[in-house]
Amino acid sequence: MTTTWSLFGLNGGQTVGVLAVLFILVVAYFVTRGVKSISRISAMGGMFVMALNVILLLASIAVLIGHGGHFAEPLKLRSFFISGSPDYQSIGQMISFALYAIFAYAGLEQMGGIMEDVDNAEKTYPKAALIATTIIGLGYAISILLWGASTNWTSLTADKSANLGNITYVLMNNLGVQLGDAFGMSHSAGLIMGSIFARFAGISMFFAYVGSFFVLTYAPLKSFILGSPKEVWPKKFIALNEHDVPAVAVWSQAILVSVLVILISFGGKSAEQLYLVLTNMGNVSSTLPYVFLVAAFPLFKRLNDVERPFIFYKNPTITWIITILVEALTIISILLTIISPFQTGDWFSGIWTVVGPIFFGVLAWVLFTLGEKKHGKL
């Protein structure tokens, strides 16, 4: 519905932009109150998402039973290798989608920034990372398969009202409608069922996104600010408040992101374009640091004076093979995501997709250069 919203005469994209800025400022306020507020909201979001996945599993199985085992999206061998979406048919398109897949695991790396607040982190974090990686991988694969029980991808892509911002609600609404149809409910009862499913999805995703926003607002910032040479930053940026949070840095980040959101939302054509630009911009900006982290991993392994609480990759050859494969996939997916809008003539989306990495890269270079001039080689 956000594509149709209008606040003070603004169009859908501009209205969503204004609401997004208010949300960013509220998140920044609570983040400055410390880790406890972050953990409570993140835990609540996790429970709602688990409930949403359970509903998807049970309802999809029920739809299959009610429809005699027939999938809305015909189940063929080709379906396991080629996406039903026309946007991801070619090899290049499928590789570009890897950026979304990598971003799905981003929380694992970001959680490393708050490990000092976790009991027995040396043992807890590796186990949690392995378990979460397995669950996320299987969860995505099974979920995509189950969505095919109630949704035909060709019909979905033809629905112009569906976009990256509302796709979960569209799918859940359709699941509820199909569940009602499978068990002989009237059309009106099926629509009510679909509405209930969509609203529960809305509540679940709201808490999930709020939780992830809290973690992604705090953890990377803490890692960058407190994990880099203190000479790079103004003293106020690294100063901690009574809750051990760099409050000035949090508010500076919130203001900067708010400005970017306003510029994109007021420069775009619609809420749909806003969702696409922010998604691609966020994915590229969040995934780009992994290019450097992955490249540094085998070099880090060669250091002898570093304490390692746990070691996963013990064979140097396997380490290099994994590093090269992951690095190549990450770089290629980023480049294809950046190039794609320009190939379709969407210069607005293309330019904004690269603005974030370029701007923050230049900002980091300027800060580091000034720090070296003032304090010598860092």
Side-chain angles (χ1 to χ4, degrees):
M1 294 299 294
T2 52
T3 57
T4 64
W5 283 3
S6 178
L7 186 67
F8 306 124
L10 303 175
N11 65 32
Q14 294 166 348
T15 299
V16 172
V18 171
L19 294 176
V21 168
L22 294 176
F23 177 68
I24 290 168
L25 297 178
V26 170
V27 169
Y29 170 77
F30 281 103
V31 166
T32 59
R33 310 306 294 176
V35 174
K36 288 186 177 180
S37 64
I38 298 173
S39 62
R40 291 193 190 101
I41 295 177
S42 297
M44 185 182 299
M47 288 188 292
F48 269 98
V49 170
M50 288 179 65
L52 190 63
N53 286 322
V54 170
I55 291 174
L56 167 62
L57 174 64
L58 297 179
S60 296
I61 292 174
V63 168
L64 281 174
I65 295 173
H67 286 159
H70 296 291
F71 282 76
E73 176 67 26
L75 194 59
K76 304 175 183 177
L77 182 61
R78 180 178 182 274
S79 305
F80 291 89
F81 302 96
I82 305 296
S83 171
S85 171
D87 294 330
Y88 298 102
Q89 295 286 327
S90 68
I91 297 296
Q93 290 172 323
M94 285 191 287
I95 293 177
S96 70
F97 183 77
L99 196 68
Y100 287 79
I102 293 170
F103 186 72
Y105 291 90
L108 293 175
E109 184 268 331
Q110 302 295 358
M111 288 300 293
I114 57 174
M115 279 302 103
E116 64 185 41
D117 300 299
V118 176
D119 293 332
N120 197 16
E122 292 84 355
K123 293 183 178 180
T124 303
Y125 182 69
K127 290 180 180 179
L130 289 172
I131 293 171
T133 299
T134 303
I135 292 175
I136 291 171
L138 291 175
Y140 267 83
I142 294 172
S143 296
I144 292 171
L145 178 65
L146 290 177
W147 282 126
S150 58
T151 301
N152 181 276
W153 297 116
T154 303
S155 300
L156 180 63
T157 53
D159 183 0
K160 299 303 181 182
S161 65
N163 55 57
L164 287 175
N166 65 14
I167 188 64
T168 302
Y169 318 126
V170 172
L171 289 170
M172 285 297 290
N173 180 78
N174 189 59
L175 177 61
V177 172
Q178 292 299 316
L179 181 63
D181 177 71
F183 288 92
M185 292 184 181
S186 65
H187 180 66
S188 58
L191 293 178
I192 293 174
M193 178 77 75
S195 181
I196 292 173
F197 272 43
R199 279 162 172 72
F200 182 79
I203 295 173
S204 300
M205 297 305 292
F206 172 76
F207 282 109
Y209 282 133
V210 168
S212 64
F213 260 92
F214 272 65
V215 174
L216 293 174
T217 297
Y218 174 70
L221 191 66
K222 182 182 178 183
S223 299
F224 292 144
I225 297 292
L226 303 183
S228 57
K230 63 180 184 298
E231 293 83 3
V232 172
W233 307 99
K235 291 183 178 179
K236 290 185 177 180
F237 263 65
I238 59 177
L240 304 179
N241 63 10
E242 64 272 23
H243 303 287
D244 291 327
V245 176
V248 173
V250 170
W251 282 114
S252 299
Q253 175 183 249
I255 293 171
L256 187 55
V257 172
S258 296
V259 171
L260 290 174
V261 170
I262 288 296
L263 289 175
I264 296 170
S265 60
F266 279 77
K269 299 176 182 177
S270 63
E272 182 178 358
Q273 187 180 43
L274 172 64
Y275 295 135
L276 177 63
V277 172
L278 290 180
T279 300
N280 286 341
M281 190 177 181
N283 286 351
V284 171
S285 298
S286 300
T287 309
L288 190 60
Y290 300 154
V291 173
F292 305 100
L293 288 174
V294 172
F297 179 63
L299 304 178
F300 171 76
K301 293 278 289 182
R302 295 171 61 182
L303 299 177
N304 298 319
D305 56 346
V306 177
E307 181 182 354
R308 296 179 174 87
F310 63 91
I311 299 176
F312 189 85
Y313 292 104
K314 299 180 180 180
N315 188 303
T317 302
I318 294 178
T319 299
W320 275 105
I321 292 174
I322 296 296
T323 298
I324 292 171
L325 288 174
V326 174
E327 185 78 345
L329 179 62
T330 305
I331 292 174
I332 293 172
S333 63
I334 290 174
L335 291 176
L336 290 175
T337 300
I338 292 173
I339 293 172
S340 180
F342 292 109
Q343 290 178 324
T344 59
D346 187 359
W347 286 81
F348 179 85
S349 299
I351 291 173
W352 274 108
T353 299
V354 298
V355 160
I358 292 175
F359 174 78
F360 289 108
V362 172
L363 179 61
W365 177 77
V366 170
L367 289 172
F368 200 83
T369 302
L370 293 175
E372 285 195 324
K373 286 183 178 181
K374 188 175 181 180
H375 300 281
K377 190 171 180 62
L378 302 177

